[in-house]
Amino acid sequence: MLFAPDTEAALEFGVLLANTDPGASRSGDDELTTREALATLLAGFGFSGRIDGDDAELEAVRQARTRLRSLWSLERDAMVPEINDLLAHLNAVPRLERHDGIDWHIHATEQTAPLADRLLVEAAMALVDVIRTDATDRLRRCAADDCDGVLADLSRNGSKRFCSVRCGNRMNMVAFRERRATETSA
């Protein structure tokens, strides 16, 4: 394990949220256009606290997605002032909490804060751990030529290259076909 479980969960959710963007989504479309799509995204991560479920919240989360994608691409030292600004702007005050069968973990916003703010603060707190452990090299863009997805490499050896199995399989097939073409022409 590289990070605490809540940090890993926040990074994994950050990847899922960021990869709903049209350039990164599996479908090639924006996968966060409806309140239902947002509810489905949230369901797998057991978010507690205020969830309004309205169009304003959806738009705020879409804007948070854009900010998160921009943070993901920054170098370590460039990320620091952005994270600090985000945490200050959203009045993040870290504290330990235990609820819903989840052991001690960090919350840095009130449960009544808007969902998009809580998502950004959780991502920022996770990125604080990434920065402190000098592991920003674990935050990457997908290595697939035709994908703009992001990934958080939480593997032990740090060798994850693709945002999904789909991208990995596709690129492996391209490489196989190129090798095969070279072999048959030689």
Side-chain angles (χ1 to χ4, degrees):
M1 174 173 60
L2 293 173
F3 304 108
D6 57 331
T7 296
E8 289 190 4
L11 291 170
E12 289 170 352
F13 182 79
V15 166
L16 284 178
L17 177 60
N19 288 342
T20 63
D21 186 76
S25 70
R26 291 183 177 153
S27 66
D29 297 323
D30 188 336
E31 294 182 349
L32 192 59
T33 59
T34 66
R35 295 179 302 215
E36 294 76 20
L38 177 57
T40 300
L41 186 67
L42 295 172
F45 281 84
F47 276 96
S48 59
R50 174 181 163 192
I51 298 176
D52 297 337
D54 59 17
D55 289 336
E57 181 176 74
L58 174 63
E59 183 54 33
V61 170
R62 289 167 49 91
Q63 290 174 11
R65 170 184 70 184
T66 300
R67 182 131 191 221
L68 181 59
R69 286 184 62 80
S70 72
L71 287 170
W72 218 263
S73 64
L74 296 174
E75 294 292 326
R76 181 178 186 229
D77 289 349
M79 192 183 291
V80 170
E82 296 294 322
I83 296 292
N84 286 339
D85 179 63
L86 180 65
L87 292 172
H89 176 73
L90 296 175
N91 301 312
V93 179
R95 66 190 176 284
L96 289 168
E97 292 197 15
R98 186 180 346 186
H99 60 84
D100 299 325
I102 303 170
D103 202 6
W104 292 112
H105 59 282
I106 295 175
H107 280 271
T109 55
E110 293 298 323
Q111 294 289 70
T112 56
L115 176 63
D117 292 357
R118 288 184 290 123
L119 296 177
L120 280 172
V121 168
E122 285 195 23
M125 293 298 294
L127 293 172
V128 165
D129 282 352
V130 171
I131 291 165
R132 289 176 343 118
T133 57
D134 196 15
T136 53
D137 62 324
R138 297 292 187 120
L139 306 178
R140 303 190 190 114
R141 294 267 181 214
C142 182
D145 298 335
D146 59 348
C147 182
D148 193 30
V150 299
L151 62 100
D153 184 354
L154 301 176
S155 68
R156 185 173 296 189
N157 66 2
S159 63
K160 186 173 179 180
R161 297 178 44 219
F162 303 104
C163 68
S164 67
V165 171
R166 185 179 141 269
C167 280
N169 287 345
R170 191 175 66 253
M171 294 311 293
N172 287 335
M173 182 55 72
V174 167
F176 171 77
R177 288 179 180 156
E178 287 174 358
R179 284 191 310 272
R180 189 72 175 239
T182 302
E183 290 170 2
T184 58
S185 66

